[in-house]
mmCIF file of all heavy atoms in Angstrom:
data_model
loop_
_atom_site.group_PDB
_atom_site.id
_atom_site.type_symbol
_atom_site.label_atom_id
_atom_site.label_comp_id
_atom_site.label_asym_id
_atom_site.label_seq_id
_atom_site.Cartn_x
_atom_site.Cartn_y
_atom_site.Cartn_z
ATOM 1 N N TRP A 1 -86.770 -7.654 -13.085
ATOM 2 C CA TRP A 1 -87.277 -7.817 -11.733
ATOM 3 C C TRP A 1 -88.742 -8.230 -11.712
ATOM 4 O O TRP A 1 -89.266 -8.598 -10.655
ATOM 5 C CB TRP A 1 -87.083 -6.534 -10.929
ATOM 6 C CG TRP A 1 -85.716 -6.419 -10.352
ATOM 7 C CD1 TRP A 1 -84.657 -5.723 -10.857
ATOM 8 C CD2 TRP A 1 -85.232 -7.024 -9.151
ATOM 9 N NE1 TRP A 1 -83.550 -5.866 -10.071
ATOM 10 C CE2 TRP A 1 -83.869 -6.661 -9.007
ATOM 11 C CE3 TRP A 1 -85.810 -7.861 -8.196
ATOM 12 C CZ2 TRP A 1 -83.097 -7.086 -7.938
ATOM 13 C CZ3 TRP A 1 -85.033 -8.275 -7.132
ATOM 14 C CH2 TRP A 1 -83.695 -7.897 -7.005
ATOM 15 N N ASP A 2 -89.411 -8.138 -12.856
ATOM 16 C CA ASP A 2 -90.804 -8.578 -12.949
ATOM 17 C C ASP A 2 -90.833 -10.083 -13.228
ATOM 18 O O ASP A 2 -90.289 -10.552 -14.231
ATOM 19 C CB ASP A 2 -91.524 -7.819 -14.069
ATOM 20 C CG ASP A 2 -93.033 -7.975 -13.992
ATOM 21 O OD1 ASP A 2 -93.503 -9.134 -14.055
ATOM 22 O OD2 ASP A 2 -93.740 -6.966 -13.885
ATOM 23 N N LYS A 3 -91.450 -10.847 -12.359
ATOM 24 C CA LYS A 3 -91.455 -12.304 -12.470
ATOM 25 C C LYS A 3 -92.214 -12.804 -13.693
ATOM 26 O O LYS A 3 -92.059 -13.965 -14.085
ATOM 27 C CB LYS A 3 -92.046 -12.918 -11.198
ATOM 28 C CG LYS A 3 -91.206 -12.656 -9.953
ATOM 29 C CD LYS A 3 -91.812 -13.312 -8.723
ATOM 30 C CE LYS A 3 -90.951 -13.057 -7.485
ATOM 31 N NZ LYS A 3 -91.528 -13.682 -6.264
ATOM 32 N N ARG A 4 -93.027 -11.952 -14.296
ATOM 33 C CA ARG A 4 -93.782 -12.377 -15.479
ATOM 34 C C ARG A 4 -92.932 -12.386 -16.741
ATOM 35 O O ARG A 4 -93.318 -12.962 -17.755
ATOM 36 C CB ARG A 4 -94.995 -11.456 -15.679
ATOM 37 C CG ARG A 4 -96.021 -11.518 -14.555
ATOM 38 C CD ARG A 4 -97.040 -10.407 -14.677
ATOM 39 N NE ARG A 4 -96.421 -9.100 -14.528
ATOM 40 C CZ ARG A 4 -97.076 -7.946 -14.681
ATOM 41 N NH1 ARG A 4 -98.360 -7.956 -14.993
ATOM 42 N NH2 ARG A 4 -96.448 -6.795 -14.533
ATOM 43 N N ILE A 5 -91.779 -11.741 -16.691
ATOM 44 C CA ILE A 5 -90.886 -11.700 -17.845
ATOM 45 C C ILE A 5 -90.148 -13.034 -17.955
ATOM 46 O O ILE A 5 -89.521 -13.490 -17.005
ATOM 47 C CB ILE A 5 -89.873 -10.544 -17.729
ATOM 48 C CG1 ILE A 5 -90.610 -9.202 -17.670
ATOM 49 C CG2 ILE A 5 -88.898 -10.571 -18.898
ATOM 50 C CD1 ILE A 5 -91.347 -8.841 -18.931
ATOM 51 N N ASN A 6 -90.235 -13.635 -19.124
ATOM 52 C CA ASN A 6 -89.550 -14.903 -19.379
ATOM 53 C C ASN A 6 -88.136 -14.605 -19.873
ATOM 54 O O ASN A 6 -87.942 -14.165 -21.010
ATOM 55 C CB ASN A 6 -90.325 -15.722 -20.409
ATOM 56 C CG ASN A 6 -89.787 -17.129 -20.552
ATOM 57 O OD1 ASN A 6 -88.670 -17.433 -20.122
ATOM 58 N ND2 ASN A 6 -90.566 -18.003 -21.160
ATOM 59 N N LEU A 7 -87.153 -14.856 -19.027
ATOM 60 C CA LEU A 7 -85.762 -14.548 -19.361
ATOM 61 C C LEU A 7 -85.162 -15.542 -20.346
ATOM 62 O O LEU A 7 -84.093 -15.290 -20.900
ATOM 63 C CB LEU A 7 -84.912 -14.525 -18.088
ATOM 64 C CG LEU A 7 -85.347 -13.565 -16.980
ATOM 65 C CD1 LEU A 7 -84.421 -13.692 -15.781
ATOM 66 C CD2 LEU A 7 -85.368 -12.131 -17.470
ATOM 67 N N GLU A 8 -85.836 -16.671 -20.563
ATOM 68 C CA GLU A 8 -85.267 -17.734 -21.393
ATOM 69 C C GLU A 8 -85.715 -17.668 -22.846
ATOM 70 O O GLU A 8 -85.244 -18.462 -23.661
ATOM 71 C CB GLU A 8 -85.655 -19.089 -20.801
ATOM 72 C CG GLU A 8 -85.104 -19.313 -19.397
ATOM 73 C CD GLU A 8 -85.490 -20.665 -18.836
ATOM 74 O OE1 GLU A 8 -86.216 -21.407 -19.543
ATOM 75 O OE2 GLU A 8 -85.072 -20.984 -17.715
ATOM 76 N N LEU A 9 -86.606 -16.738 -23.187
ATOM 77 C CA LEU A 9 -87.074 -16.647 -24.567
ATOM 78 C C LEU A 9 -85.920 -16.269 -25.500
ATOM 79 O O LEU A 9 -85.071 -15.451 -25.161
ATOM 80 C CB LEU A 9 -88.191 -15.613 -24.681
ATOM 81 C CG LEU A 9 -89.529 -15.976 -24.008
ATOM 82 C CD1 LEU A 9 -90.526 -14.833 -24.163
ATOM 83 C CD2 LEU A 9 -90.099 -17.254 -24.601
ATOM 84 N N VAL A 10 -85.922 -16.855 -26.688
ATOM 85 C CA VAL A 10 -84.894 -16.564 -27.689
ATOM 86 C C VAL A 10 -85.517 -15.842 -28.862
ATOM 87 O O VAL A 10 -86.712 -15.984 -29.150
ATOM 88 C CB VAL A 10 -84.199 -17.862 -28.168
ATOM 89 C CG1 VAL A 10 -83.466 -18.526 -27.022
ATOM 90 C CG2 VAL A 10 -85.212 -18.825 -28.774
ATOM 91 N N ASN A 11 -84.719 -15.035 -29.558
ATOM 92 C CA ASN A 11 -85.208 -14.299 -30.727
ATOM 93 C C ASN A 11 -85.013 -15.119 -31.999
ATOM 94 O O ASN A 11 -84.715 -16.311 -31.946
ATOM 95 C CB ASN A 11 -84.517 -12.937 -30.833
ATOM 96 C CG ASN A 11 -83.008 -13.064 -30.975
ATOM 97 O OD1 ASN A 11 -82.484 -14.144 -31.241
ATOM 98 N ND2 ASN A 11 -82.313 -11.948 -30.825
ATOM 99 N N GLY A 12 -85.157 -14.476 -33.145
ATOM 100 C CA GLY A 12 -85.038 -15.178 -34.415
ATOM 101 C C GLY A 12 -83.657 -15.750 -34.667
ATOM 102 O O GLY A 12 -83.499 -16.676 -35.477
ATOM 103 N N ASP A 13 -82.639 -15.212 -33.996
ATOM 104 C CA ASP A 13 -81.277 -15.730 -34.136
ATOM 105 C C ASP A 13 -80.946 -16.775 -33.075
ATOM 106 O O ASP A 13 -79.793 -17.201 -32.947
ATOM 107 C CB ASP A 13 -80.267 -14.577 -34.037
ATOM 108 C CG ASP A 13 -80.415 -13.588 -35.174
ATOM 109 O OD1 ASP A 13 -80.731 -14.032 -36.297
ATOM 110 O OD2 ASP A 13 -80.226 -12.380 -34.940
ATOM 111 N N GLY A 14 -81.959 -17.173 -32.297
ATOM 112 C CA GLY A 14 -81.739 -18.188 -31.275
ATOM 113 C C GLY A 14 -81.007 -17.684 -30.061
ATOM 114 O O GLY A 14 -80.392 -18.474 -29.335
ATOM 115 N N MET A 15 -81.055 -16.376 -29.782
ATOM 116 C CA MET A 15 -80.323 -15.796 -28.658
ATOM 117 C C MET A 15 -81.274 -15.299 -27.582
ATOM 118 O O MET A 15 -82.317 -14.715 -27.881
ATOM 119 C CB MET A 15 -79.435 -14.637 -29.132
ATOM 120 C CG MET A 15 -78.290 -15.062 -30.028
ATOM 121 S SD MET A 15 -77.109 -13.722 -30.319
ATOM 122 C CE MET A 15 -78.107 -12.630 -31.321
ATOM 123 N N THR A 16 -80.899 -15.524 -26.338
ATOM 124 C CA THR A 16 -81.603 -14.914 -25.224
ATOM 125 C C THR A 16 -81.209 -13.433 -25.142
ATOM 126 O O THR A 16 -80.334 -12.973 -25.870
ATOM 127 C CB THR A 16 -81.252 -15.613 -23.897
ATOM 128 O OG1 THR A 16 -79.854 -15.405 -23.639
ATOM 129 C CG2 THR A 16 -81.557 -17.103 -23.967
ATOM 130 N N ALA A 17 -81.858 -12.709 -24.221
ATOM 131 C CA ALA A 17 -81.516 -11.293 -24.059
ATOM 132 C C ALA A 17 -80.063 -11.128 -23.635
ATOM 133 O O ALA A 17 -79.367 -10.206 -24.083
ATOM 134 C CB ALA A 17 -82.446 -10.641 -23.042
ATOM 135 N N LEU A 18 -79.580 -12.028 -22.772
ATOM 136 C CA LEU A 18 -78.185 -11.961 -22.344
ATOM 137 C C LEU A 18 -77.240 -12.244 -23.504
ATOM 138 O O LEU A 18 -76.212 -11.576 -23.661
ATOM 139 C CB LEU A 18 -77.938 -12.960 -21.212
ATOM 140 C CG LEU A 18 -76.524 -12.985 -20.631
ATOM 141 C CD1 LEU A 18 -76.149 -11.620 -20.069
ATOM 142 C CD2 LEU A 18 -76.409 -14.056 -19.553
ATOM 143 N N ASP A 19 -77.594 -13.220 -24.340
ATOM 144 C CA ASP A 19 -76.780 -13.498 -25.524
ATOM 145 C C ASP A 19 -76.721 -12.282 -26.437
ATOM 146 O O ASP A 19 -75.661 -11.933 -26.964
ATOM 147 C CB ASP A 19 -77.369 -14.674 -26.309
ATOM 148 C CG ASP A 19 -77.282 -15.978 -25.543
ATOM 149 O OD1 ASP A 19 -76.288 -16.164 -24.830
ATOM 150 O OD2 ASP A 19 -78.200 -16.796 -25.659
ATOM 151 N N ALA A 20 -77.878 -11.637 -26.637
ATOM 152 C CA ALA A 20 -77.947 -10.477 -27.528
ATOM 153 C C ALA A 20 -77.076 -9.341 -27.016
ATOM 154 O O ALA A 20 -76.437 -8.621 -27.790
ATOM 155 C CB ALA A 20 -79.394 -10.020 -27.675
ATOM 156 N N ALA A 21 -77.034 -9.169 -25.684
ATOM 157 C CA ALA A 21 -76.180 -8.128 -25.100
ATOM 158 C C ALA A 21 -74.707 -8.478 -25.259
ATOM 159 O O ALA A 21 -73.893 -7.635 -25.650
ATOM 160 C CB ALA A 21 -76.535 -7.935 -23.630
ATOM 161 N N GLU A 22 -74.362 -9.730 -24.966
ATOM 162 C CA GLU A 22 -72.964 -10.139 -25.038
ATOM 163 C C GLU A 22 -72.463 -10.170 -26.474
ATOM 164 O O GLU A 22 -71.271 -9.962 -26.730
ATOM 165 C CB GLU A 22 -72.804 -11.514 -24.393
ATOM 166 C CG GLU A 22 -72.995 -11.483 -22.889
ATOM 167 C CD GLU A 22 -72.910 -12.858 -22.262
ATOM 168 O OE1 GLU A 22 -73.002 -13.850 -23.005
ATOM 169 O OE2 GLU A 22 -72.754 -12.932 -21.028
ATOM 170 N N GLU A 23 -73.368 -10.391 -27.421
ATOM 171 C CA GLU A 23 -72.996 -10.391 -28.834
ATOM 172 C C GLU A 23 -72.435 -9.042 -29.252
ATOM 173 O O GLU A 23 -71.588 -8.944 -30.132
ATOM 174 C CB GLU A 23 -74.222 -10.731 -29.678
ATOM 175 C CG GLU A 23 -73.972 -10.845 -31.174
ATOM 176 C CD GLU A 23 -73.392 -12.193 -31.552
ATOM 177 O OE1 GLU A 23 -73.258 -13.061 -30.681
ATOM 178 O OE2 GLU A 23 -73.070 -12.361 -32.732
ATOM 179 N N ARG A 24 -72.906 -7.980 -28.591
ATOM 180 C CA ARG A 24 -72.509 -6.609 -28.955
ATOM 181 C C ARG A 24 -71.549 -5.994 -27.946
ATOM 182 O O ARG A 24 -71.249 -4.809 -28.025
ATOM 183 C CB ARG A 24 -73.758 -5.735 -29.079
ATOM 184 C CG ARG A 24 -74.631 -6.150 -30.257
ATOM 185 C CD ARG A 24 -76.045 -5.595 -30.139
ATOM 186 N NE ARG A 24 -76.821 -5.937 -31.312
ATOM 187 C CZ ARG A 24 -77.387 -7.120 -31.516
ATOM 188 N NH1 ARG A 24 -77.261 -8.074 -30.622
ATOM 189 N NH2 ARG A 24 -78.092 -7.350 -32.621
ATOM 190 N N MET A 25 -71.083 -6.786 -26.999
ATOM 191 C CA MET A 25 -70.132 -6.297 -26.006
ATOM 192 C C MET A 25 -68.731 -6.323 -26.593
ATOM 193 O O MET A 25 -68.194 -7.390 -26.890
ATOM 194 C CB MET A 25 -70.187 -7.157 -24.746
ATOM 195 C CG MET A 25 -69.287 -6.677 -23.628
ATOM 196 S SD MET A 25 -69.950 -5.276 -22.699
ATOM 197 C CE MET A 25 -71.086 -6.122 -21.605
ATOM 198 N N ASP A 26 -68.147 -5.138 -26.799
ATOM 199 C CA ASP A 26 -66.817 -5.074 -27.388
ATOM 200 C C ASP A 26 -65.764 -4.907 -26.300
ATOM 201 O O ASP A 26 -66.057 -4.873 -25.113
ATOM 202 C CB ASP A 26 -66.726 -3.929 -28.411
ATOM 203 C CG ASP A 26 -67.209 -2.608 -27.836
ATOM 204 O OD1 ASP A 26 -67.073 -2.411 -26.611
ATOM 205 O OD2 ASP A 26 -67.728 -1.788 -28.600
ATOM 206 N N THR A 27 -64.518 -4.806 -26.724
ATOM 207 C CA THR A 27 -63.415 -4.728 -25.763
ATOM 208 C C THR A 27 -63.321 -3.382 -25.054
ATOM 209 O O THR A 27 -62.608 -3.262 -24.075
ATOM 210 C CB THR A 27 -62.076 -4.996 -26.474
ATOM 211 O OG1 THR A 27 -61.913 -4.046 -27.538
ATOM 212 C CG2 THR A 27 -62.045 -6.406 -27.045
ATOM 213 N N MET A 28 -64.035 -2.377 -25.566
ATOM 214 C CA MET A 28 -64.050 -1.067 -24.916
ATOM 215 C C MET A 28 -65.457 -0.771 -24.425
ATOM 216 O O MET A 28 -66.018 0.284 -24.669
ATOM 217 C CB MET A 28 -63.579 0.013 -25.907
ATOM 218 C CG MET A 28 -62.157 -0.148 -26.372
ATOM 219 S SD MET A 28 -60.975 -0.088 -25.009
ATOM 220 C CE MET A 28 -61.128 1.626 -24.534
ATOM 221 N N ALA A 29 -66.035 -1.745 -23.721
ATOM 222 C CA ALA A 29 -67.411 -1.626 -23.269
ATOM 223 C C ALA A 29 -67.581 -0.401 -22.373
ATOM 224 O O ALA A 29 -66.811 -0.181 -21.446
ATOM 225 C CB ALA A 29 -67.820 -2.881 -22.513
ATOM 226 N N SER A 30 -68.627 0.371 -22.643
ATOM 227 C CA SER A 30 -68.898 1.563 -21.852
ATOM 228 C C SER A 30 -69.521 1.170 -20.518
ATOM 229 O O SER A 30 -69.933 0.031 -20.304
ATOM 230 C CB SER A 30 -69.857 2.490 -22.611
ATOM 231 O OG SER A 30 -71.129 1.876 -22.762
ATOM 232 N N PHE A 31 -69.590 2.142 -19.626
ATOM 233 C CA PHE A 31 -70.169 1.890 -18.305
ATOM 234 C C PHE A 31 -71.629 1.479 -18.437
ATOM 235 O O PHE A 31 -72.110 0.606 -17.699
ATOM 236 C CB PHE A 31 -70.033 3.152 -17.455
ATOM 237 C CG PHE A 31 -70.540 3.004 -16.054
ATOM 238 C CD1 PHE A 31 -69.988 2.072 -15.197
ATOM 239 C CD2 PHE A 31 -71.563 3.807 -15.593
ATOM 240 C CE1 PHE A 31 -70.448 1.935 -13.892
ATOM 241 C CE2 PHE A 31 -72.028 3.680 -14.301
ATOM 242 C CZ PHE A 31 -71.473 2.747 -13.446
ATOM 243 N N ARG A 32 -72.359 2.101 -19.359
ATOM 244 C CA ARG A 32 -73.774 1.756 -19.547
ATOM 245 C C ARG A 32 -73.933 0.315 -20.022
ATOM 246 O O ARG A 32 -74.835 -0.406 -19.595
ATOM 247 C CB ARG A 32 -74.415 2.717 -20.554
ATOM 248 C CG ARG A 32 -75.926 2.657 -20.564
ATOM 249 C CD ARG A 32 -76.519 3.689 -21.485
ATOM 250 N NE ARG A 32 -76.472 3.253 -22.863
ATOM 251 C CZ ARG A 32 -77.087 3.871 -23.857
ATOM 252 N NH1 ARG A 32 -77.786 4.972 -23.620
ATOM 253 N NH2 ARG A 32 -77.011 3.435 -25.094
ATOM 254 N N LYS A 33 -73.050 -0.134 -20.895
ATOM 255 C CA LYS A 33 -73.098 -1.511 -21.361
ATOM 256 C C LYS A 33 -72.826 -2.486 -20.218
ATOM 257 O O LYS A 33 -73.474 -3.522 -20.094
ATOM 258 C CB LYS A 33 -72.079 -1.718 -22.484
ATOM 259 C CG LYS A 33 -72.408 -0.987 -23.776
ATOM 260 C CD LYS A 33 -71.374 -1.273 -24.845
ATOM 261 C CE LYS A 33 -71.705 -0.549 -26.144
ATOM 262 N NZ LYS A 33 -70.705 -0.830 -27.207
ATOM 263 N N ARG A 34 -71.881 -2.148 -19.370
ATOM 264 C CA ARG A 34 -71.540 -3.023 -18.262
ATOM 265 C C ARG A 34 -72.695 -3.112 -17.263
ATOM 266 O O ARG A 34 -72.999 -4.182 -16.735
ATOM 267 C CB ARG A 34 -70.274 -2.522 -17.568
ATOM 268 C CG ARG A 34 -69.064 -2.502 -18.482
ATOM 269 C CD ARG A 34 -67.830 -1.974 -17.783
ATOM 270 N NE ARG A 34 -66.715 -1.867 -18.711
ATOM 271 C CZ ARG A 34 -65.477 -1.564 -18.350
ATOM 272 N NH1 ARG A 34 -65.208 -1.342 -17.084
ATOM 273 N NH2 ARG A 34 -64.522 -1.494 -19.240
ATOM 274 N N LEU A 35 -73.344 -1.980 -17.012
ATOM 275 C CA LEU A 35 -74.486 -1.993 -16.105
ATOM 276 C C LEU A 35 -75.623 -2.837 -16.674
ATOM 277 O O LEU A 35 -76.310 -3.549 -15.929
ATOM 278 C CB LEU A 35 -74.969 -0.561 -15.846
ATOM 279 C CG LEU A 35 -74.135 0.295 -14.899
ATOM 280 C CD1 LEU A 35 -74.749 1.675 -14.766
ATOM 281 C CD2 LEU A 35 -74.008 -0.350 -13.538
ATOM 282 N N THR A 36 -75.842 -2.739 -17.986
ATOM 283 C CA THR A 36 -76.884 -3.540 -18.620
ATOM 284 C C THR A 36 -76.584 -5.018 -18.465
ATOM 285 O O THR A 36 -77.468 -5.824 -18.123
ATOM 286 C CB THR A 36 -76.998 -3.177 -20.116
ATOM 287 O OG1 THR A 36 -77.257 -1.769 -20.251
ATOM 288 C CG2 THR A 36 -78.115 -3.954 -20.786
ATOM 289 N N TRP A 37 -75.340 -5.384 -18.711
ATOM 290 C CA TRP A 37 -74.942 -6.782 -18.576
ATOM 291 C C TRP A 37 -75.114 -7.258 -17.139
ATOM 292 O O TRP A 37 -75.604 -8.363 -16.888
ATOM 293 C CB TRP A 37 -73.488 -6.926 -19.022
ATOM 294 C CG TRP A 37 -73.000 -8.340 -19.002
ATOM 295 C CD1 TRP A 37 -73.092 -9.261 -19.998
ATOM 296 C CD2 TRP A 37 -72.340 -8.986 -17.914
ATOM 297 N NE1 TRP A 37 -72.523 -10.450 -19.595
ATOM 298 C CE2 TRP A 37 -72.059 -10.304 -18.319
ATOM 299 C CE3 TRP A 37 -71.965 -8.577 -16.638
ATOM 300 C CZ2 TRP A 37 -71.422 -11.220 -17.498
ATOM 301 C CZ3 TRP A 37 -71.327 -9.485 -15.813
ATOM 302 C CH2 TRP A 37 -71.053 -10.784 -16.243
ATOM 303 N N MET A 38 -74.728 -6.416 -16.178
ATOM 304 C CA MET A 38 -74.858 -6.802 -14.779
ATOM 305 C C MET A 38 -76.315 -6.967 -14.363
ATOM 306 O O MET A 38 -76.644 -7.852 -13.564
ATOM 307 C CB MET A 38 -74.175 -5.762 -13.886
ATOM 308 C CG MET A 38 -72.664 -5.844 -13.896
ATOM 309 S SD MET A 38 -71.903 -4.785 -12.643
ATOM 310 C CE MET A 38 -72.224 -3.177 -13.345
ATOM 311 N N ALA A 39 -77.209 -6.111 -14.900
ATOM 312 C CA ALA A 39 -78.635 -6.237 -14.585
ATOM 313 C C ALA A 39 -79.175 -7.568 -15.062
ATOM 314 O O ALA A 39 -79.981 -8.213 -14.377
ATOM 315 C CB ALA A 39 -79.404 -5.081 -15.214
ATOM 316 N N LEU A 40 -78.752 -8.013 -16.235
ATOM 317 C CA LEU A 40 -79.194 -9.299 -16.769
ATOM 318 C C LEU A 40 -78.638 -10.459 -15.951
ATOM 319 O O LEU A 40 -79.355 -11.406 -15.618
ATOM 320 C CB LEU A 40 -78.769 -9.430 -18.233
ATOM 321 C CG LEU A 40 -79.512 -8.545 -19.243
ATOM 322 C CD1 LEU A 40 -78.786 -8.509 -20.567
ATOM 323 C CD2 LEU A 40 -80.935 -9.045 -19.442
ATOM 324 N N LYS A 41 -77.347 -10.387 -15.627
ATOM 325 C CA LYS A 41 -76.726 -11.471 -14.877
ATOM 326 C C LYS A 41 -77.298 -11.580 -13.468
ATOM 327 O O LYS A 41 -77.549 -12.694 -12.974
ATOM 328 C CB LYS A 41 -75.215 -11.277 -14.810
ATOM 329 C CG LYS A 41 -74.490 -11.484 -16.122
ATOM 330 C CD LYS A 41 -74.578 -12.919 -16.610
ATOM 331 C CE LYS A 41 -73.795 -13.878 -15.752
ATOM 332 N NZ LYS A 41 -73.805 -15.256 -16.297
ATOM 333 N N SER A 42 -77.498 -10.464 -12.805
ATOM 334 C CA SER A 42 -78.005 -10.497 -11.430
ATOM 335 C C SER A 42 -79.427 -11.024 -11.365
ATOM 336 O O SER A 42 -79.844 -11.551 -10.327
ATOM 337 C CB SER A 42 -77.934 -9.096 -10.812
ATOM 338 O OG SER A 42 -78.750 -8.185 -11.537
ATOM 339 N N ALA A 43 -80.174 -10.898 -12.473
ATOM 340 C CA ALA A 43 -81.544 -11.418 -12.516
ATOM 341 C C ALA A 43 -81.577 -12.895 -12.891
ATOM 342 O O ALA A 43 -82.646 -13.500 -12.902
ATOM 343 C CB ALA A 43 -82.381 -10.613 -13.503
ATOM 344 N N GLY A 44 -80.423 -13.458 -13.211
ATOM 345 C CA GLY A 44 -80.372 -14.872 -13.570
ATOM 346 C C GLY A 44 -80.687 -15.158 -15.019
ATOM 347 O O GLY A 44 -81.085 -16.285 -15.362
ATOM 348 N N ALA A 45 -80.499 -14.169 -15.892
ATOM 349 C CA ALA A 45 -80.755 -14.385 -17.319
ATOM 350 C C ALA A 45 -79.780 -15.435 -17.858
ATOM 351 O O ALA A 45 -78.575 -15.343 -17.617
ATOM 352 C CB ALA A 45 -80.607 -13.080 -18.094
ATOM 353 N N PRO A 46 -80.290 -16.435 -18.581
ATOM 354 C CA PRO A 46 -79.420 -17.530 -19.035
ATOM 355 C C PRO A 46 -78.763 -17.237 -20.376
ATOM 356 O O PRO A 46 -79.188 -16.355 -21.120
ATOM 357 C CB PRO A 46 -80.397 -18.697 -19.171
ATOM 358 C CG PRO A 46 -81.682 -18.027 -19.594
ATOM 359 C CD PRO A 46 -81.706 -16.693 -18.894
ATOM 360 N N ASN A 47 -77.723 -17.983 -20.669
ATOM 361 C CA ASN A 47 -77.107 -18.006 -21.993
ATOM 362 C C ASN A 47 -77.677 -19.174 -22.782
ATOM 363 O O ASN A 47 -78.120 -20.158 -22.214
ATOM 364 C CB ASN A 47 -75.583 -18.177 -21.895
ATOM 365 C CG ASN A 47 -74.890 -16.912 -21.447
ATOM 366 O OD1 ASN A 47 -74.389 -16.846 -20.342
ATOM 367 N ND2 ASN A 47 -74.862 -15.902 -22.289
#
C-alpha cells in the first residue's frame, strides 16, 4: 500500500514478489498463504 515500494523489482532468480509467492504455493495452500497472495494481487503486483 506504500507507493514508494517498487512492485516490479526482481530478485536474483529473476522473480517478482508475486512470482516468489506463487513459486511456493502448493495444492494445500493455507489461509495465510492465500491472504498473502491476495494482498499482492490486489496491489497490482506483476508476474
Side-chain angles (χ1 to χ4, degrees):
W1 277 98
D2 194 301
K3 295 181 179 180
R4 296 169 296 175
I5 299 294
N6 189 344
L7 303 179
E8 298 181 358
L9 291 178
V10 297
N11 60 13
D13 296 325
M15 293 190 291
T16 64
L18 181 59
D19 293 325
E22 290 177 344
E23 183 81 4
R24 293 162 176 80
M25 183 79 80
D26 51 30
T27 58
M28 297 300 292
S30 66
F31 182 61
R32 194 176 80 170
K33 292 182 180 181
R34 299 179 185 187
L35 284 180
T36 303
W37 184 88
M38 285 189 289
L40 289 166
K41 290 295 291 184
S42 62
N47 285 110

